[in-house]
Amino acid sequence: MTSPQAVNVLGIGGSLREGSQSERALRIAIEGAAELGVTTELISGPELVLPFYDTALADRDERALRLIEGIRRADGIIVVSPGYHGALSGLVKNALDYVEDLREDTRPYLDGRAVGLAAVAYGWQAAVTTLDQLRTITHALRGWATPLGGSINSAETKFDEAGGASDEKSVRTLRLIGRQVAEFAVSRAG
């Protein structure tokens, strides 16, 4: 049986704004995964400022290589995107486009990996449609979207620097998403 410490869960998301609501939500979800003893890694915000993905270019910059290798190592992934105008952010979408570089791997794309998803937007409509888009992308990349996803309305829920939020239900949901990713990854690795 595989030790939980041998299982890697990668968190991707946030925005360019330091301490953004979506990055704080991502940190809560990744902490939920860490509670099961898995190894976690976070690539967020400014670390996701990458050249636009281009299949015609073979060379990747240092940040893109870190992201690609992080995804390649990951047994589970958590993605949290802000919702802008009813859609996921270009920052997160571009990062997910780099998964294409894994097409020839033994585990192509996100094959065999649990993917926990959440969207944080100022309003329910954008939060829900962004989560739906993240699920569609996950399925297209052969990932296993966890049963629970998170749509969080930042007009009603505010995340704080200490890892909490004005709505405890949102914190519980994000932690559960992280645990579902870790549980699936540990089970599959075992």
Side-chain angles (χ1 to χ4, degrees), residues 37-38 83 88 93 109 124 132 135 156 158 179:
V38 300
L88 71 154
K93 175 62 170 83
Y109 303 107
W124 286 114
D132 184 53
R135 285 185 180 278
E156 298 176 8
K158 301 294 181 204
R179 282 194 302 275

Side-chain angles (χ1 to χ4, degrees), residues 78-92:
I78 299 170
V79 181
V80 178
S81 178
Y84 296 147
H85 310 288
L88 71 154
S89 74
L91 187 73
V92 172

